[in-house]
Amino acid sequence: MDLLGLIGTFIRVVENGSIAAAARAKGMSPAAVSQSISRLEQHLGVRLLSRTTRSMALTESGKRYFEKVRHIPQDIDLASQAAAIETKPQGSLCIATTAAFGRYVLAPLMPAFKHSYPDIDVELISTDRNVDHRLEGIDVSIRIEAQLNDQLIARKIASLPFVFCASPGYLQRAGMPKTPEDLILHACLVFRYPTDGRFLPWTFRVNGQSVSARLNPEFISDDIDIIAKIAVNGGGIARLASFVAQPLLDSGQLIALFDTDQSDENRAQSLPMNIFACVNERSALNAKVRAFIQFLEQAIEQPSH
């Protein structure tokens, strides 16, 4: 009995939703697929599928069995790849990233990555929408904490500061906020997640506790570069990732807030932006993905504090 073949046919039936669709995918007749399922059920001594002329559904035993065997074909493929002994990272690498992180952090690093791994060809997808690794052929995605979900395996690769900032002209006109509580009195430039419409919260750590500041949203946008432009032109206070804010701080177009001489225990500190590398399953951590993640961890400059 070709048990692996029977299991593979069962997986195809479940994934395709019907015996007829699985038969088309495998180039078999529906009768042959149905016979394979029956032989597998006889071997196991349980009913895996509840079948009628019009519908098909997994039994409880079928659900449990599918969860245990669904990864077997891929595991076999990975074992075959391991037997071939891949000597170096190579092939196409599709990376999805948030728009700002891709523009300000990843893009400048890509020439150095290509120089280190000349046999890897990179496709960089820069978008703030949710992406589907499997359907879109994405090998690894770079996401912030708010974008994580249970379907992804995430590894934290960096923790970068947020900077609260405003233009000199705005601060001269509206005054300098001294504490997070003062923000309610100021025009705030708020980022809205394109995926679900939520506002990016302005969070601080105060006396060891995470606190979200009350805001007066003067402008709202789903594009962080637009928010930065509004801030530079005197529109209000923005909360920007350090990689967006730093050039504007260095040029004097923006001024950092809440940077006082008080001790760390008494000072309200902005919670950082945690950056994660995500794959859809552990088997996706192949040589080229591991090479990219390790390169990124070493290349991103971490704050010293």
Side-chain angles (χ1 to χ4, degrees):
M1 176 187 296
D2 180 12
L3 183 58
L4 287 177
L6 298 180
I7 291 172
T9 299
F10 169 67
I11 292 170
R12 279 294 186 96
V13 169
V14 177
E15 289 180 340
N16 285 273
S18 72
I19 287 176
R24 289 192 296 271
K26 290 181 68 67
M28 299 169 60
S29 69
V33 171
S34 182
Q35 186 178 28
S36 295
I37 298 300
S38 296
R39 291 176 63 195
L40 181 60
E41 289 175 329
Q42 291 171 7
H43 171 74
L44 296 172
V46 297
R47 192 73 177 269
L48 299 175
L49 297 174
S50 176
R51 304 187 287 279
T52 69
T53 56
R54 295 190 176 185
S55 65
M56 181 206 78
L58 283 168
T59 64
E60 288 302 316
S61 295
K63 291 177 182 178
R64 291 193 295 269
Y65 189 70
F66 178 69
E67 288 304 316
K68 294 296 184 182
V69 302
R70 63 187 303 179
H71 299 298
I72 287 178
Q74 188 170 34
D75 289 342
I76 291 173
D77 289 342
L78 290 172
S80 299
Q81 294 173 18
I85 311 177
E86 184 180 17
T87 57
K88 58 183 178 179
Q90 57 187 311
S92 61
L93 177 65
C94 185
I95 305 163
T97 175
T98 60
F101 192 82
R103 183 176 298 116
Y104 290 97
V105 180
L106 283 191
L109 294 176
M110 286 299 96
F113 178 72
K114 182 65 175 179
H115 179 76
S116 298
Y117 299 98
D119 295 319
I120 296 179
D121 298 318
V122 175
E123 178 181 357
L124 192 60
I125 298 174
S126 178
T127 178
D128 288 319
R129 66 174 173 81
N130 286 330
V131 295
D132 188 308
H133 283 223
R134 194 180 301 275
L135 292 179
E136 300 180 56
I138 292 166
D139 295 295
V140 58
S141 62
I142 306 301
R143 303 188 178 208
I144 61 176
E145 199 159 2
Q147 295 175 309
L148 301 182
N149 60 61
D150 293 338
Q151 282 71 52
L152 294 173
I153 297 172
R155 170 176 169 179
K156 182 180 173 182
I157 59 172
S159 184
L160 302 174
F162 277 110
V163 180
F164 292 89
C165 47
S167 70
Y170 173 83
L171 294 174
Q172 185 176 12
R173 181 176 74 251
M176 177 80 73
K178 302 296 184 183
T179 68
E181 290 78 11
D182 293 341
L183 290 172
I184 192 64
L185 304 175
H186 285 265
C188 298
L189 314 179
V190 180
F191 179 81
R192 187 194 294 275
Y193 285 112
T195 53
D196 58 16
R198 289 180 298 156
F199 289 157
L200 182 68
W202 291 17
T203 50
F204 295 83
R205 181 175 290 109
V206 181
N207 297 324
Q209 300 294 319
S210 177
V211 176
S212 293
R214 294 176 59 213
L215 304 180
N216 173 25
E218 184 82 4
F219 292 97
I220 300 167
S221 178
D222 62 356
D223 187 319
I224 202 65
D225 284 328
I226 287 178
I227 289 176
K229 289 286 188 183
I230 295 173
V232 165
N233 286 277
I237 296 173
R239 183 189 193 227
L240 303 176
S242 57
F243 50 79
V244 178
Q246 198 58 54
L248 303 173
L249 297 173
D250 293 342
S251 66
Q253 295 178 82
L254 294 178
I255 295 174
L257 309 178
F258 308 118
D259 185 16
T260 69
D261 294 330
Q262 295 175 329
S263 67
D264 288 345
E265 290 78 9
N266 295 324
R267 181 165 59 92
Q269 298 173 303
S270 173
L271 294 183
M273 170 187 282
N274 293 322
I275 308 294
F276 296 82
C278 304
V279 294
N280 65 331
E281 53 192 351
R282 295 195 183 281
S283 59
L285 286 168
N286 52 38
K288 60 188 177 183
V289 171
R290 291 196 304 271
F292 171 71
I293 292 175
Q294 291 168 4
F295 171 86
L296 205 55
E297 287 178 318
Q298 296 170 2
I300 296 177
E301 183 177 352
Q302 299 286 315
S304 59
H305 55 280

